[in-house]
Amino acid sequence: DQQVKQNSPSLSVQEGRISILNCDYTNSMFDYFLWYKKYPAEGPTFLISISSIKDKNEDGRFTVFLNKSAKHLSLHIVPSQPGDSAVYFCAASPQRAGNMLTFGGGTRLMVKP
Amino acid sequence: KAGVTQTPRYLIKTRGQQVTLSCSPISGHRSVSWYQQTPGQGLQFLFEYFSETQRNKGNFPGRFSGRQFSNSRSEMNVSTLELGDSALYLCASSLTGGTGNQPQHFGDGTRLSIL
């Protein structure tokens, strides 16, 4: 039973355009959500997070949106750059339970020059 | 600021052996979590340690164990290795134990191959 799903295994975007990565979850206990970026042979790098008390969080080119009623979150990257090409993972956890992240399967983003 | 350090980076073992992996968290971080990444199962939570105590455990057999030392460094051990244990093992650290919005920061992992 996949509690966090990223339904798009890959996404291709032109440089300068917006990249939108999507993530769905099923566990109502999740109240803290994160996005990580991963390059080959490296560990995931934290990008941005959002608590369930918010519906939007922005950090530079990265914005995460949370729709609790739909159990859906998305990551927007504007403008997309070739260096953003990587695998993106969304992750979720129930905060009070400590640090135990449940990850989605990842979306490979390719930004073409 | 030094990141999460995992040693060794690569390891080759044979079935039936045991292995110990090491993780040094970011200075000041007290929570250390371990994850397994495989092509088939993706990234899966193994366990979390906070103040030398295991606070959470994922759905893995008892062959997988860990511990945390007083300086927050952590080790995980896998006994009686199986072919299916071949994976990238990732360690992550964070400041607190999940009572606030504290993201986990990952090391680059240990690539374990079982022959």
Side-chain angles (χ1 to χ4, degrees):
Chain A
D1 175 33
Q2 271 191 291
Q3 297 186 62
V4 178
K5 286 185 183 179
Q6 294 177 253
N7 290 318
S8 298
S10 64
L11 175 68
S12 183
V13 170
Q14 206 67 31
E15 181 180 6
R17 306 295 291 269
I18 183 171
S19 294
I20 300 176
L21 297 100
N22 294 303
C23 179
D24 296 295
Y25 64 97
T26 57
N27 190 336
S28 300
M29 299 299 291
F30 290 151
D31 54 7
Y32 183 47
F33 306 89
L34 308 90
W35 283 94
Y36 287 87
K37 176 171 72 172
K38 189 178 187 299
Y39 296 117
E42 293 184 12
T45 299
F46 169 71
L47 281 174
I48 192 168
S49 63
I50 188 166
S51 168
S52 59
I53 61 173
K54 295 184 174 181
D55 54 19
K56 177 183 172 181
N57 189 26
E58 235 176 309
D59 184 359
R61 297 186 299 115
F62 302 93
T63 303
V64 56
F65 295 91
L66 175 62
N67 182 332
K68 289 185 289 293
S69 60
K71 292 190 175 67
H72 176 83
L73 65 155
S74 60
L75 174 68
H76 293 208
I77 306 174
V78 184
S80 301
Q81 300 172 353
D84 295 330
S85 297
V87 178
Y88 289 76
F89 292 94
C90 70
S93 79
Q95 284 192 74
R96 290 184 188 83
N99 290 310
M100 44 185 297
L101 296 176
T102 300
F103 282 87
T107 296
R108 181 176 300 278
L109 173 67
M110 293 162 284
V111 180
K112 298 179 179 178
Chain B
K1 184 178 182 183
V4 178
T5 304
Q6 291 188 247
T7 57
R9 286 298 309 274
Y10 303 94
L11 205 48
I12 299 175
K13 292 284 187 180
T14 56
R15 281 182 297 173
Q17 287 187 310
Q18 73 164 14
V19 67
T20 299
L21 311 181
S22 180
C23 172
S24 293
I26 293 171
S27 178
H29 284 195
R30 295 171 62 197
S31 168
V32 174
S33 297
W34 289 88
Y35 295 84
Q36 181 197 63
Q37 185 181 26
T38 59
Q41 299 298 319
L43 270 158
Q44 292 187 289
F45 171 77
L46 277 156
F47 29 64
E48 181 209 3
Y49 286 87
F50 181 74
S51 294
E52 301 178 65
T53 301
Q54 185 182 89
R55 183 168 43 192
N56 288 295
K57 191 177 191 308
N59 190 24
F60 279 82
R63 301 185 296 108
F64 292 81
S65 63
R67 59 177 175 168
Q68 186 181 33
F69 302 96
S70 58
N71 62 357
S72 293
R73 192 177 70 83
S74 177
E75 289 180 347
M76 70 163 280
N77 184 276
V78 188
S79 62
T80 320
L81 287 165
E82 300 176 0
L83 292 177
D85 297 333
S86 294
L88 179 67
Y89 289 88
L90 291 160
C91 170
S93 73
S94 69
L95 268 173
T96 64
T99 53
N101 296 340
Q102 297 291 342
Q104 294 181 53
H105 297 273
F106 284 80
D108 286 337
T110 294
R111 171 74 60 186
L112 175 63
S113 298
I114 311 301
L115 302 179

